[in-house]
Amino acid sequence: MGNFINIGYGNIVSSNRIVAIVAAESAPIKRLIAEAREKSNLIDATQGRKTRGVIITDSNQVILSALLPDTMASRLIVTKE
């Protein structure tokens, strides 16, 4: 079984599927989120909070998180070791 990362508020993602963790503020990422929403490839794991981090998976799923990318990356690094 693969490793998992807590992306906040009880939501967990398989770390083996993560391609990138990026900040949500830039215009290109906002467009990526809008396109994923249109294609039903968007998973909102913010629990109603502000989106701060975006996870992109190898299966083209886009996952929204209320955690900052740095926080998620540090959890990923700790999990991998």
Side-chain angles (χ1 to χ4, degrees):
M1 194 153 106
N3 294 329
F4 293 91
I5 176 176
N6 182 338
I7 61 167
Y9 306 105
N11 298 300
I12 299 171
V13 175
S14 174
S15 61
N16 298 332
R17 305 299 303 257
I18 296 174
V19 174
I21 301 174
V22 295
E25 289 83 31
S26 72
I29 298 302
K30 289 181 180 181
R31 280 193 297 273
L32 180 75
I33 292 169
E35 290 172 6
R37 184 174 279 123
E38 288 175 10
K39 296 178 183 176
S40 298
N41 286 341
L42 183 71
I43 299 170
D44 187 349
T46 61
Q47 307 292 48
R49 292 164 178 88
K50 180 180 177 186
T51 301
R52 293 186 175 155
V54 179
I55 299 169
I56 302 166
T57 67
D58 59 356
S59 60
N60 293 326
Q61 295 288 319
V62 176
I63 305 169
L64 306 180
S65 174
L67 297 182
L68 291 169
D70 292 342
T71 304
M72 289 186 283
S74 66
R75 291 180 181 187
L76 181 62
I77 292 167
V78 170
T79 304
K80 290 280 187 180
E81 292 178 353

